[in-house]
Amino acid sequence: MRLSIIVPAYKVADFIEKCIRSLEDQDISKSEYEIIVTNDGSPDHCKEIVENLQQEFSNLVLINQVNQGVSMARNNAISIAKGAYILPIDPDDYVVPNTFKHFLAKAETNELDILYLGFEIFDADEKSIWKTDYSSQEQSFYNGIDGYFVSRGYDVKDPDRSCGLLFRRALLNQYRITYPKNVPYLEDGLFLSKVFSVAKKVGFDNEPFYLRTTRKGSATNSKLFFTDRSVDGFIYAIKNVKDFANESQLNPEQTQLINHTIAKFLILALSPSINSFQFRQYFKVISVLKKANLQTVETDGLRFLYKKHIRMYNFSKLIFPFYFRITNKVN
């Protein structure tokens, strides 16, 4: 089988049928791909909607589980996937019809580990507000480290998404890469840092493909980022990615991307209290970081403003909040 599409489903009964039908309206045989929907204990009618669609589509697979969160919903789908490539899709988004043949041929012909697909964001009124432009990258191929950073920049929206990227399943299996269970915010970012650190060949495709909708109540619009649970998740992410680097015996270049990821999650842990002027909370987080042996962190491999930020963090925890507020636009 060429492709396994994984779709986590929780409280998306109003959207999931449109998503699935867009995935079925494609230009390759149903026998060449599967759509695995994980019903994550959704209290609405997601399960029934998918079951009804299964009567229509032979390649639609449904997993039912008690609520475990989006990471485990994706992991459980990947664990039974049969496709050579994995394509994560969010259930309230949809894709352009008749596009699978093109991007699969590009990934297979060039033996890619990762392929970035065209991505467009719409507001609640279905007006396009941003889309990728891979025109300068689509004729080139990159190693994982360079591919990770080429895709980023100050004007890039949602750089840490895994949806709309094609991943070679054998690579995920080889390095036992899964989505983290205990990272409630930016779990995709941790997943991506691992995959890109070991990927050998990354490509870009500029054809329109992934269409993201913006709606109230979605995870990316929640207040979770500002909670203690989120801070604990960021610190767990740092430990998790460190363990991955050690277990995978990454080389110095690969470790540089891990360093960048550690810096990213450390700043994510500190930035809410800094931006809201809650300095008592800021020093509470500093204390937690100290207990986690993160008084100082490595700067080798850091890019954008992260190197300057982490150098200041290492130098002075007192000065860092003021420096960060002046130069806090990082990606």
Side-chain angles (χ1 to χ4, degrees):
M1 186 173 289
R2 300 171 74 187
L3 175 66
S4 293
I5 302 166
I6 60 169
V7 184
Y10 184 77
K11 291 186 178 180
V12 288
D14 292 339
F15 310 95
I16 193 165
E17 181 168 353
K18 180 178 180 179
C19 173
I20 291 172
R21 288 194 179 278
S22 76
L23 297 170
E24 296 286 4
D25 188 13
Q26 295 300 327
D27 50 3
I28 63 173
S29 167
K30 296 289 187 284
S31 64
E32 296 182 83
Y33 72 106
E34 62 184 350
I35 302 168
I36 306 174
V37 178
T38 305
N39 169 37
D40 188 29
S42 185
D44 58 15
H45 300 295
C46 285
K47 175 177 178 288
E48 290 76 12
I49 292 170
V50 177
E51 287 176 337
N52 287 335
L53 289 170
Q54 283 182 304
Q55 304 302 312
E56 186 176 347
F57 301 113
S58 61
N59 62 341
L60 183 56
V61 180
L62 175 63
I63 299 174
N64 290 303
Q65 64 180 40
V66 296
N67 181 249
Q68 300 177 53
V70 64
S71 287
M72 289 308 299
R74 288 171 171 167
N75 289 341
N76 289 335
I78 293 173
S79 70
I80 67 166
K82 301 174 183 177
Y85 284 95
I86 298 290
L87 175 62
I89 299 287
D90 277 346
D92 48 355
D93 300 330
Y94 55 106
V95 303
V96 176
N98 300 319
T99 49
F100 285 11
K101 183 177 180 179
H102 165 75
F103 73 69
L104 279 173
K106 183 167 186 174
E108 293 164 348
T109 300
N110 296 288
E111 299 181 332
L112 299 181
D113 288 322
I114 303 169
L115 177 61
Y116 274 93
L117 303 174
F119 187 89
E120 188 168 4
I121 301 175
F122 295 83
D123 64 17
D125 297 320
E126 298 187 355
K127 178 182 177 182
S128 177
I129 55 177
W130 184 84
K131 63 181 178 180
T132 53
D133 180 4
Y134 296 144
S135 55
S136 61
Q137 294 102 339
E138 68 172 348
Q139 300 302 319
S140 302
F141 299 106
Y142 305 84
N143 64 32
I145 312 301
D146 292 337
Y148 179 90
F149 289 109
V150 163
S151 69
R152 292 166 184 259
Y154 295 131
D155 60 342
V156 173
K157 305 293 185 184
D158 199 5
D160 286 307
R161 62 179 171 85
S162 63
C163 292
L165 277 71
L166 198 64
F167 302 96
R168 188 164 61 86
R169 185 166 64 93
L171 184 72
L172 303 183
N173 291 341
Q174 179 183 353
Y175 289 94
R176 300 192 298 275
I177 299 172
T178 59
Y179 287 88
K181 183 178 180 180
N182 297 316
V183 180
Y185 185 88
L186 218 67
E187 68 281 350
D188 285 35
L190 183 57
F191 175 84
L192 290 179
S193 69
K194 295 178 182 180
V195 181
F196 277 89
S197 70
V198 296
K200 292 182 172 58
K201 197 172 185 182
V202 178
F204 292 80
D205 190 79
N206 202 41
E207 294 296 317
F209 173 68
Y210 196 102
L211 308 176
R212 163 150 290 174
T213 55
T214 303
R215 64 181 178 91
K216 292 181 180 180
S218 64
T220 51
N221 290 328
S222 73
K223 296 180 180 179
L224 181 60
F225 181 76
F226 298 92
T227 64
D228 288 343
R229 179 182 169 215
S230 182
V231 171
D232 291 341
F234 294 146
I235 295 173
Y236 170 81
I238 293 173
K239 180 181 184 302
N240 184 274
V241 78
K242 280 185 171 182
D243 290 344
F244 172 78
N246 291 332
E247 292 168 4
S248 302
Q249 299 181 332
L250 301 186
N251 64 39
E253 182 182 10
Q254 293 170 321
T255 302
Q256 288 182 358
L257 179 52
I258 300 303
N259 292 341
H260 184 87
T261 304
I262 291 169
K264 186 181 188 74
F265 277 101
L266 184 143
I267 290 174
L268 284 168
L270 293 169
S271 60
S273 58
I274 296 173
N275 290 332
S276 59
F277 296 97
Q278 296 180 9
F279 292 109
R280 180 176 294 181
Q281 175 66 15
Y282 168 77
F283 285 108
K284 177 182 175 182
V285 178
I286 289 292
S287 178
V288 174
L289 291 169
K290 183 177 180 180
K291 290 178 181 178
N293 198 28
L294 293 168
Q295 306 97 310
T296 60
V297 295
E298 180 59 61
T299 60
D300 188 32
L302 273 56
R303 305 204 191 178
F304 307 123
L305 286 174
Y306 283 108
K307 180 164 284 192
K308 290 182 179 180
H309 285 166
I310 293 302
R311 281 176 174 171
M312 182 58 70
Y313 168 84
N314 289 343
F315 175 71
S316 172
K317 308 299 184 286
L318 288 172
I319 298 174
F320 176 73
F322 305 99
Y323 180 82
F324 179 79
R325 283 191 62 84
I326 296 171
T327 61
N328 68 348
K329 192 175 183 182
V330 294
N331 208 343

